[in-house]
Structure formats: structure tokens, C-alpha cells
Amino acid sequence: MSTLQFKTSINCANCVRAVTPFLDAEASVEKWQVDTTSPDKILTVEGENPIPELIMKSVAQAGFDIEPA
């Protein structure tokens, strides 16, 4: 299983709720979480072969900023 991390603007429970359907729909993502207590709001994604571009696109579609950590 591979793990990827990204800096995001996902900073609260409502933000997590808003991005959930986008990340859950991404087939390459098996598990994900956001550390909203971190200054960089780190999104950690796990999966067999997560595709960074698709994850970034999903988060951007939900209305949040994202960049590789």
C-alpha cells in the first residue's frame, strides 16, 4: 500500500464533510484523513496505487486548495 501526503486548505469538520464524497469516489483511494490541527492541513491518502493528479483534481473540485507536501 502506498501513502501520499498533500498540503490543503481543508481546515474544519465541515470542510472534511464537503470533500468526503469527492475523495470517496476516487477509485485509487482506499483510506484518507486530514490533520486539521497541522498548520499545513495535511491530507494523507492510502491505496494500492493512488494517483496524485486525480487526488488533487478531486480536492480542487470540492473547492479546496491542494499541493504536494
Side-chain angles (χ1 to χ4, degrees):
M1 184 167 311
S2 297
T3 302
L4 300 175
Q5 291 191 320
F6 304 88
K7 294 179 185 178
T8 72
S9 62
I10 302 168
N11 61 11
C12 67
N14 285 333
C15 297
V16 170
R17 203 171 304 123
V19 79
T20 294
F22 293 90
L23 286 173
D24 286 352
E26 179 49 54
S28 68
V29 175
E30 291 181 24
K31 179 181 168 186
W32 62 272
Q33 67 179 22
V34 180
D35 182 358
T36 56
T37 61
S38 162
D40 291 327
K41 312 303 180 204
I42 298 295
L43 166 65
T44 302
V45 176
E46 294 180 12
E48 282 305 315
N49 191 19
I51 302 166
E53 295 80 11
L54 294 178
I55 294 163
M56 292 176 69
K57 182 179 177 182
S58 294
V59 172
Q61 284 179 326
F64 300 96
D65 297 329
I66 183 169
E67 64 183 62

